[in-house]
Amino acid sequence: MRPLDPRLLRYARATRTYLILSVVLGVALAALVVAQATLLATGITAVYQHGADVHRIAPTLAWLAAVVTLRAAVAWAQEVTAARASAAVKRQLRSRLLTHVAALGPGAAGGSGTIATLATRGLDALDAYFARYLPQLVLATLVPVIVLARIAPVDLVAAGTIALTLPLIPVFMALVGLHTEAANRRQFRLLARLSHHFLDVVAGLPTLRVFGRAKRQAGIIARISAEQRTTTMRTLRVAFLSSLVLELLATLSVALVAVGIGLRLLDGSLGLATALLVLILAPEAYLPLRQVGANYHASAEGLAAATEVFELLETPARPRGTAPADAPPGAPPGAPVGVASVSAGTVRFEAVAVRHAGRSTASLPPFTATVEPGELVALTGPSGCGKSTALAVLLGFAAPTSGRVTVGGQDLATVDPDAWRQRVAWLPQRPWLSTGTIADNIRLGAPGTTDAAVRAAAEQAGALAFIDALPDGLSTRLGDDGAGLSAGQRQRIALARVFLRDAPLVLLDEPTANLDASTEAGILAAIRAHAAGRTVIMAAHRPSLVALADRVIPVGTAATPGGTTVTSGGTAAIPAGATVILAGAAATSVDAVVVAA
Amino acid sequence: MSGVGAVLRLCRPAAGQLTLAVLAGVGAAGAGVGLMATSAWLISRAAQHPPVLHLMVAIVAVRAFGIGRGVLRYVERLTGHDAAFRVLGALRVRTYRRLERLAPAGLVAFRRGDLVARLVDDVESVLDVIVRALLPITVAAVTGAATVALVGGLLPVAGAALAVAMLVVAVGVPAVQAAAVRRADARLAPLRGALAAGVVDLTQGLPDLIAYGAVSDTLTTLDRTDRQLLTAARRSSAAAGVSAAVTALCTGLSVLAGLAAGAVAVRAGTLPGELLAVVVLTPLAVFETIGAIPAAAQRLAAARAALGRLAEIAAATEPAPDPAVPVALPTGPLTVRLEHVSAGWEPGRPVLHDVTLTLRPGRRVALVGPSGAGKTTVAALLVRWLDPTAGRVTLNDVDVRDLRGDDLRSVVGYLGEDAYLFDSTLEANLRIGRPHATTAQLETALAAARLLDWVRTLPAGLGTPVGEHGVALSGGQRRRLALARALLADFPVLVLDEPTEHLDDDTAAELIRDLLAAAGDRAVLLITHRADVLADVDEVITLTPGDRAAATASVRAG
């Protein structure tokens, strides 16, 4: 771990201001430490050796009170600047991270849960870095220098001892650290695995109880915990050596300095005031370094989160097309043309194949198809054959590895994706609902539409009956990702969203999944009606849905042996260890396709 | 603080290690104080130019303290961690035993957010509570008291001043700090919550938001929340520094008081001059230990919620407790009956009302009804996750409340909608159904669930890992693996809750027909919403949500 990642300065400008303030406060603190030591040494010597009474040392006491007050003020300022800097840095990093994640598009940046955690709790760990670690790091470089500058003129021997032992600490710590780092990493992996086992067992408790295996697990948990303790202790015995070295060197050096000045006092080569000054200052020289060591782990977490953010920020976004979406075929970019040319344009898949990096099979084997304007077509095939991937390509979420998609003769890759998506309405396999109201959710693709229009769309999607049965109707606030609604209800709200979008190209991924038979009939009729004057492409599984289409286009059939009912594609050949690659990926519908394909 | 009390009770088996850790910790902190005190005396005494022999003890002591602090601190950390891991293990087992009795019905009231993950984190937090809160606080308290005794013995006034300063840091600062944190949290928590919800919305809904061109609006809203959070954090930051400032002030003032009082005492002859430096400088060293208390107290306060949740789980009532004197499991062909049963998952929210149904050996019964009608509740009653609020559930006319739950579940099996796959191999997941099954038995079960052909194509076969929650399998494969596991266990009574979710239509219908045909003497209750399989069952029971949202059953012979 680098103590200060230069990228932190680059991506979060608030860090610079903070560093400058830290140095200013650090110099002030070091000066106050020296002043306090000098005053104490003077005061004690005056009373002890010169028989001064409390009135004689009153000025010293007054100065001491002032120094103590100032030290408290500096301590306060350090905490306040750290808290403020941390808040500002978090905001800067979060803002950049989220903007970049949005630019990368779905699935490009790992699991959605990972990013959400990183952007909130992960970055919050930076608090400890700014409050505890960074200021101590600044102090660890400033304080020894200033303390030595004060001691050296009066006692060169003590200054020499400190100057020689101080650099030994980081050197030895680094040596021990190098040795323990690998062991530490192994240890943390083990810890993570054991916590994971406990989590897995607790989450699966009902299943274990069904099979009468639950009670036995208590013994297994006890055994694994005991194993965890023994292996962890074995690692800690070595890992704590670095702090042993740190404490030992720091304290022993102070002891050596103390004994040294005592002996030199004895032979008269040193005055009492100087000796006391050195005694008070010597521990102060080592203190910041000891604090850095103590706060190393607390800050490592925050820096690790920041490093993850930097790595994400350095992932380049896919190149985007720039041509306006309504440019006619062959026309120079930017030529003003009506919407109709694309919206009513023929959608053509020309041997489009998608293969994701690191996967042995294609998510979409070469696919050629033409959809004429106004058609309602169904893409069919066993799950995992690439139906959803084909829709993802149309949305610009997946780039063809080979082949191309044209709309109205224009290569989709050259079109500005945002402008193009304004012409598209999409119902994903697992639609997402925001934590806003039901009306907000339906209005997602058509902000500013009237309440009446929202109600009409909801009715069209067969959602109005259950929405009106809710106490707050359309204004009902939804829980996290539509919690509180059944899958079928979520599906119908998402369908209302599609209807209200009023786009010329409609992409539906299994629109009647999760619906019971009577609801399905109504929805099928609504889709049929909505298809009038629009191009509709559906990924379809259910026979009733396939029957609705004007035309059926099989996807990826060549890749699947006929007649088998086993899900085709990549899952049929999971290599051992593939879990890791797949683990975080099932978060969005587009990703889910990638996993299954 | 009941949570801390519970932790202390858990500490009992590790009491030896903990005592050792406290002793070593006090020794380490004491060595730091002793180093300063002895050095101060050594220097003061040396200034009087005595024979060097008179200083030998002090010189040896200073060197010993110099070595002792590092070594003892190492011992403290090792024994402290060892004890904490022991307590953690004990707490894990205790929490698990408790959950084992509660899951799933007894946890419904706790099902807010990600209960399980949070609970596991709560258990792990005990490590932090011991190592970074309880231990440092105890060590600081003991060391502080000893130092006050030392300084007070030399000069009572200085000892009293030191004691007051320590109390302010050890008691006053944590209290002020807790109030400040509460105030800041009241201001920040809603904003943090809003921000977190917004971030989750953005990341989870990214495909939808991009497709609908709503990304920039969402980012703008998020940024507004984040800016409010920054403003609020700025406003709260002033309080953050109070703790550090008061600690610095108390350290300085106790030194100042020591010097002033010492000057008076030396002049008055009540304090030998060579001890003045000891009185003045010792507080400097002890505050390094005392100064750790506010942070430790803050950790303890932060862990309070976690400890409280664990205490809550420990106090939760069991939804279906085992009888004190269980009746032996009936033998022979088994008939399960629901007799005029009413039931619900949470008090005051009835789901079933006066439902009667009978499962006889060899009979296949389908349970249908709209979602929310209570089909899964019927299953929960049959495996006794739940006890009825009225009526009774019987097994060969024995009330199931008189049986041990595990005995009942050895004959009544349940494949739930939420059947769980463990992060292990296909085989390990199967063997939960029957640990000592032969390979032939495993294959028969897989074949019955139509999974065997697929397993044979896998390079690692049954050794293939299924991933966390079975993520490496498709939805259909997960379902069929769970089904194979239920079949492998060979329960005389089997409750199948939507066994064919996530399968395509034709496969699902065929699979159910196979299952029903292969059931033999088993009694099977099939919970389903599929109309196309009802012709293959002996009886269809329809649950209809009735008055007051509680469902009643109607029966039609198949």
Side-chain angles (χ1 to χ4, degrees):
Chain A
M1 181 179 100
R2 270 185 291 182
L4 177 62
D5 195 322
R7 288 177 294 184
L8 196 56
L9 298 174
R10 183 148 27 103
Y11 289 120
R13 299 190 58 87
T15 316
R16 276 171 220 238
T17 327
Y18 176 62
L19 271 183
I20 294 168
L21 274 173
S22 275
V23 170
V24 171
L25 289 171
V27 170
L29 183 71
L32 288 169
V33 164
V34 167
Q36 180 178 322
T38 311
L39 287 167
L40 280 175
T42 322
I44 294 172
T45 312
V47 174
Y48 174 38
Q49 281 199 321
H50 310 302
D53 66 0
V54 78
H55 301 292
R56 281 259 309 279
I57 60 162
T60 311
L61 290 176
W63 276 112
L64 203 52
V67 167
V68 165
T69 314
L70 281 176
R71 270 190 80 165
V74 169
W76 178 79
Q78 278 177 324
E79 294 280 334
V80 172
T81 47
R84 290 179 166 224
S86 178
V89 166
K90 282 191 290 184
R91 178 174 128 83
Q92 286 171 349
L93 287 182
R94 186 150 45 216
S95 162
R96 278 173 184 266
L97 172 70
L98 295 178
T99 310
H100 193 69
V101 164
L104 285 178
S112 65
T114 322
I115 290 174
T117 314
L118 182 61
T120 52
R121 272 192 300 161
L123 285 180
D124 278 343
L126 275 176
D127 285 347
Y129 177 76
F130 279 96
R132 309 264 89 84
Y133 187 75
L134 209 49
Q136 293 298 344
L137 203 63
V138 171
L139 289 180
T141 48
L142 287 177
V143 171
V145 173
I146 294 176
V147 163
L148 282 176
R150 175 72 181 87
I151 295 180
V154 291
D155 184 2
L156 211 51
V157 182
T161 314
I162 297 174
L164 281 178
T165 51
L166 209 54
L168 285 182
I169 293 177
V171 170
F172 273 102
M173 278 183 72
L175 284 179
V176 177
L178 277 181
H179 179 70
T180 54
E181 200 174 2
N184 270 340
R185 261 205 305 275
R186 253 201 321 278
Q187 183 56 30
F188 281 120
R189 267 204 304 276
L190 175 76
L191 271 179
R193 215 172 56 226
L194 291 174
S195 300
H196 176 69
H197 169 263
F198 185 50
L199 184 65
D200 203 28
V201 167
V202 171
L205 250 178
T207 299
L208 287 171
R209 286 187 85 192
V210 163
F211 295 105
R213 306 273 164 255
K215 294 220 159 57
R216 230 168 51 87
Q217 285 292 330
I220 297 178
I221 290 171
R223 202 193 67 222
I224 291 186
S225 294
E227 275 169 20
Q228 174 194 14
R229 183 174 58 81
T230 19
T231 45
T232 307
M233 290 315 295
R234 207 175 303 143
T235 320
L236 289 183
R237 272 197 279 280
V238 182
F240 288 163
L241 278 180
S242 74
S243 76
L244 172 66
V245 167
L246 170 70
E247 288 283 327
L248 208 56
L249 275 175
T251 324
L252 201 55
S253 305
V254 173
L256 288 179
V257 169
V259 171
I261 49 177
L263 292 176
R264 270 176 290 129
L265 260 175
L266 207 56
D267 64 28
S269 61
L270 200 67
L272 178 63
T274 311
L276 284 171
L277 176 74
V278 172
L279 178 66
I280 299 168
L281 282 182
E284 298 282 0
Y286 296 95
L287 188 63
L289 208 54
R290 287 171 52 210
Q291 304 276 23
V292 168
N295 294 314
Y296 174 85
H297 284 294
S299 60
E301 204 183 323
L303 263 199
T307 309
E308 261 180 79
V309 172
F310 301 148
E311 272 160 19
L312 265 176
L313 288 179
E314 282 159 11
T315 314
R318 241 179 335 117
R320 294 159 59 102
T322 49
D326 48 2
V337 190
V339 172
S341 63
V342 170
S343 60
T346 304
V347 177
R348 193 167 282 144
F349 287 87
E350 299 175 5
V352 175
V354 179
R355 180 188 291 275
H356 286 91
R359 305 275 156 74
S360 56
T361 48
S363 303
L364 178 65
F367 175 58
T368 302
T370 306
V371 181
E372 296 299 339
E375 264 193 311
L376 194 172
V377 301
L379 307 182
T380 60
S383 49
C385 68
K387 300 188 293 287
S388 300
T389 310
L391 298 186
V393 170
L394 269 183
L395 282 161
F397 288 161
T401 320
S402 60
R404 60 175 201 154
V405 176
T406 62
V407 178
Q410 190 179 7
D411 188 343
L412 202 54
T414 64
V415 176
D416 173 24
D418 287 335
W420 158 243
R421 287 182 196 123
Q422 279 174 21
R423 315 263 180 277
V424 185
W426 175 49
L427 178 78
Q429 221 169 47
R430 193 181 181 285
W432 162 86
L433 299 182
S434 81
T435 45
T437 64
I438 291 180
D440 289 344
N441 269 291
I442 294 177
R443 225 180 243 133
L444 182 72
T449 40
T450 62
D451 287 351
V454 172
R455 281 187 75 80
E459 184 165 23
Q460 208 182 340
L464 201 57
F466 79 81
I467 292 173
D468 279 343
L470 295 167
D472 292 335
L474 276 168
S475 310
T476 305
R477 294 199 75 84
L478 298 179
D480 202 3
D481 198 11
L485 298 179
S486 76
Q489 290 171 333
R490 298 162 42 104
Q491 189 86 4
R492 279 173 276 170
I493 290 177
L495 203 57
R497 183 188 279 174
V498 170
F499 290 155
L500 190 64
R501 172 78 155 174
D502 193 21
L505 176 63
V506 180
L507 308 178
L508 306 173
D509 202 341
E510 306 276 6
T512 57
N514 305 314
L515 300 180
D516 57 53
S518 60
T519 319
E520 185 185 14
I523 298 298
L524 289 177
I527 292 174
R528 186 74 255 183
H530 187 69
R534 296 187 172 84
T535 310
V536 180
I537 305 178
M538 310 185 291
H541 214 143
R542 290 197 179 185
S544 48
L545 189 58
V546 176
L548 188 72
D550 300 329
R551 198 155 60 86
V552 171
I553 305 175
V555 180
T557 39
T560 322
T564 172
T565 51
V566 174
T567 312
S568 73
T571 37
I574 316 164
T579 337
V580 183
I581 308 165
L582 302 179
T588 65
S589 51
V590 174
D591 274 346
V593 172
V594 173
V595 173
Chain B
M1 230 187 210
S2 64
V4 174
V7 172
L8 287 178
R9 273 194 298 285
L10 280 168
C11 285
R12 217 170 291 146
Q17 277 84 6
L18 279 175
T19 315
L20 192 60
V22 169
L23 286 179
V26 170
V33 176
L35 176 66
M36 182 53 104
T38 319
S39 309
W41 180 83
L42 171 69
I43 287 167
S44 304
R45 185 79 181 89
Q48 295 171 335
H49 306 293
V52 71
L53 269 178
H54 290 196
L55 298 178
M56 278 325 286
V57 175
I59 289 174
V60 171
V62 167
R63 286 180 181 149
F65 286 138
I67 296 170
R69 178 156 81 170
V71 174
L72 287 171
R73 177 97 182 91
Y74 180 71
V75 174
E76 179 208 356
R77 294 184 75 186
L78 275 189
T79 46
H81 276 83
D82 186 67
F85 275 111
R86 278 173 205 270
V87 175
L88 173 64
L91 183 61
R92 266 199 201 124
V93 171
R94 214 175 73 142
T95 308
Y96 177 80
R97 288 226 166 95
R98 190 68 209 149
L99 289 174
E100 194 264 319
R101 283 154 196 269
L102 293 175
L107 297 176
V108 169
F110 299 96
R111 195 140 293 181
R112 307 275 175 273
D114 200 352
L115 165 96
V116 170
R118 206 183 52 193
L119 199 65
V120 171
D121 280 348
D122 290 349
V123 170
E124 309 274 320
S125 75
V126 77
L127 210 59
D128 217 38
V129 167
I130 291 179
V131 172
R132 296 170 72 197
L134 293 181
L135 211 52
I137 289 174
T138 315
V139 166
V142 176
T143 313
T147 310
V148 167
L150 170 75
V151 174
L154 298 175
L155 185 62
V157 185
L162 180 59
V164 171
M166 274 184 191
L167 281 179
V168 170
V169 172
V171 181
V173 168
V176 171
Q177 190 176 257
V181 167
R182 263 199 306 280
R183 249 200 328 277
D185 270 353
R187 205 180 292 155
L188 296 177
L191 288 170
R192 280 205 197 103
L195 186 72
V199 169
V200 168
D201 263 1
L202 175 76
T203 51
Q204 273 185 4
L206 195 56
D208 303 59
L209 289 170
I210 293 177
Y212 284 94
V215 169
S216 64
D217 280 356
T218 311
L219 282 176
T220 312
T221 316
L222 262 178
D223 198 54
R224 203 178 308 130
T225 314
D226 212 347
R227 201 169 328 130
Q228 287 169 344
L229 185 65
L230 179 67
T231 316
R234 281 219 176 107
R235 223 175 299 148
S236 300
S237 66
V242 170
S243 160
V246 173
T247 307
L249 204 59
C250 284
T251 315
L253 288 182
S254 62
V255 171
L256 190 64
L259 182 56
V264 174
V266 169
R267 185 79 172 173
T270 50
L271 181 74
E274 72 259 29
L275 289 177
L276 176 65
V278 179
V279 169
V280 177
L281 299 185
T282 307
L284 278 182
V286 79
F287 268 99
E288 206 195 305
T289 308
I290 300 293
I293 289 184
Q298 203 167 13
R299 273 200 197 96
L300 199 59
R304 224 173 145 168
L307 298 177
R309 280 193 293 267
L310 290 176
E312 221 178 297
I313 290 281
T317 37
E318 271 184 56
D322 275 346
V325 186
V327 169
L329 194 66
T331 48
L334 294 170
T335 298
V336 190
R337 227 188 287 272
L338 259 61
E339 299 172 7
H340 303 289
V341 161
S342 301
W345 295 80
E346 285 173 275
R349 290 183 61 183
V351 181
L352 297 178
H353 180 67
D354 195 20
V355 172
T356 298
L357 69 86
T358 307
L359 277 179
R360 290 195 184 82
R363 294 277 285 181
R364 295 116 177 85
V365 178
L367 185 62
V368 297
S371 55
K375 298 187 298 265
T376 300
T377 311
V378 170
L381 288 165
L382 289 172
V383 289
R384 214 167 160 237
W385 294 153
L386 272 184
D387 279 340
T389 49
R392 57 180 209 147
V393 182
T394 62
L395 183 70
N396 283 8
D397 291 327
V398 176
D399 192 321
V400 296
R401 276 173 289 205
D402 296 332
L403 297 170
R404 277 185 60 226
D406 281 354
D407 288 346
L408 172 71
R409 285 184 289 272
S410 70
V411 292
V412 181
Y414 172 50
L415 173 65
E417 275 182 296
D418 55 352
Y420 191 83
L421 293 185
F422 295 88
D423 188 2
S424 184
T425 61
L426 290 172
E427 179 167 353
N429 270 291
L430 272 177
R431 280 189 188 280
I432 287 168
R434 190 193 279 189
H436 305 296
T438 62
T439 310
Q441 284 168 329
L442 294 179
E443 290 188 344
T444 311
L446 284 171
R450 297 177 172 243
L451 207 55
L452 186 60
D453 292 342
W454 171 71
V455 171
R456 287 201 169 130
T457 65
L458 297 175
L462 281 169
T464 306
V466 304
E468 196 175 345
H469 306 285
V471 72
L473 310 184
S474 76
Q477 287 161 347
R478 280 200 286 271
R479 210 64 208 137
R480 277 178 281 183
L481 183 60
L483 182 59
R485 179 168 66 187
L487 293 175
L488 182 66
D490 200 20
F491 297 107
V493 180
L494 189 54
V495 181
L496 300 171
D497 198 348
E498 304 284 7
T500 55
E501 277 297 283
H502 309 292
L503 299 185
D504 61 67
D505 273 25
D506 298 342
T507 320
E510 278 175 50
L511 187 63
I512 289 185
R513 282 187 197 111
D514 283 3
L515 275 178
L516 295 174
D521 287 343
R522 270 185 213 138
V524 176
L525 182 69
L526 177 69
I527 297 174
T528 185
H529 66 251
R530 309 184 61 92
D532 55 349
V533 297
L534 297 185
D536 298 278
V537 297
D538 302 320
E539 195 178 292
V540 177
I541 297 173
T542 308
L543 280 182
T544 324
D547 310 338
R548 298 179 304 147
T552 49
S554 62
V555 179
R556 168 184 78 74

